[in-house]
Amino acid sequence: MTPSRTVVVANAMEGPERRSGARSALTGCPWHDVKSMLRDVGLRPTRQRMALGWILFGKGDRHITAEMLYEEATKAKVPVSLATVYNTLHQFTDVGLLRQVAVDGSKTYFDTNVSQHHHFFVEGENDLLDIPNTDVVVGKTPIPPDGYEVARIDVVVRLRRKSRT
Ligand SMILES: [Zn+2]
């Protein structure tokens, strides 16, 4: 079997043309893609991980909360508890398949696009939109304390609808 790097899988799943191009280099079957994706990062492809991975990664780049994924899994008749959904999302994050985007204390989104980029958060609509990395210039990076280095800078720009006067 051809090993597929995570990056390749993520690229292959972008946009409506994901059935052509890069995807053809893979097995052509999303289910197999999820399996090799999990194997590549050293996670055993259990039925629950496979099912959740398939829901997560089969539809292109997206931002999803644990509750949203739980709801989709339930609708797809995947027998899974909310706790398992949480655990799986965190396991996927730990191995780099997902990126966590904390919007505020109560809401954590998981992003299937793990490349460096930033986000708009639409207040009141609970919607996250991508901002390309090149569109944000961070002027002055604070100097980290001794013994630390900056791992990543995440910018969340909060939006609200303009009020009509
Ligand atoms: Zn994103």
Side-chain angles (χ1 to χ4, degrees):
M1 201 196 291
T2 340
S4 59
R5 293 265 76 85
T6 309
V7 179
V8 173
V9 173
N11 286 343
M13 289 189 173
E14 264 169 24
E17 290 187 347
R18 63 175 190 251
R19 297 215 154 264
S20 61
R23 170 161 291 280
S24 58
L26 300 172
T27 59
C29 166
W31 191 259
H32 281 132
D33 290 353
V34 173
K35 197 174 215 170
S36 50
M37 200 170 170
L38 292 174
R39 289 228 167 102
D40 278 356
V41 294
L43 286 178
R44 205 158 55 84
T46 61
R47 273 174 61 174
Q48 285 177 330
R49 282 181 189 147
M50 289 287 290
L52 292 175
W54 186 65
I55 295 173
L56 274 169
F57 301 110
K59 297 176 186 172
D61 284 340
R62 56 200 307 221
H63 307 106
I64 194 166
T65 63
E67 289 76 14
M68 286 157 71
L69 180 58
Y70 175 67
E71 203 171 295
E72 284 190 30
T74 308
K75 273 190 193 143
K77 308 240 184 305
V78 175
V80 76
S81 68
L82 184 57
T84 303
V85 170
Y86 269 108
N87 290 340
T88 307
L89 284 170
H90 285 287
Q91 285 166 352
F92 284 6
T93 304
D94 287 344
V95 296
L97 292 178
L98 293 173
R99 213 182 106 177
Q100 215 172 329
V101 184
V103 173
D104 56 33
S106 61
K107 264 221 158 28
T108 296
Y109 285 85
F110 293 86
D111 197 339
T112 59
N113 177 0
V114 293
S115 70
Q116 177 66 49
H117 65 284
H118 305 283
H119 294 96
F120 284 124
F121 178 67
V122 188
E123 289 183 344
E125 294 172 26
N126 289 337
D127 203 7
L128 267 192
L129 305 166
D130 284 344
I131 307 174
N133 193 37
T134 47
D135 283 9
V136 176
V137 176
V138 179
K140 188 173 180 294
T141 311
I143 297 161
D146 271 354
Y148 292 90
E149 61 183 6
V150 176
R152 193 174 81 197
I153 295 177
D154 292 334
V155 176
V156 175
V157 179
R158 292 167 178 273
L159 301 181
R160 63 172 176 236
R161 293 224 177 251
K162 285 183 180 174
S163 57
R164 285 177 205 172
T165 46

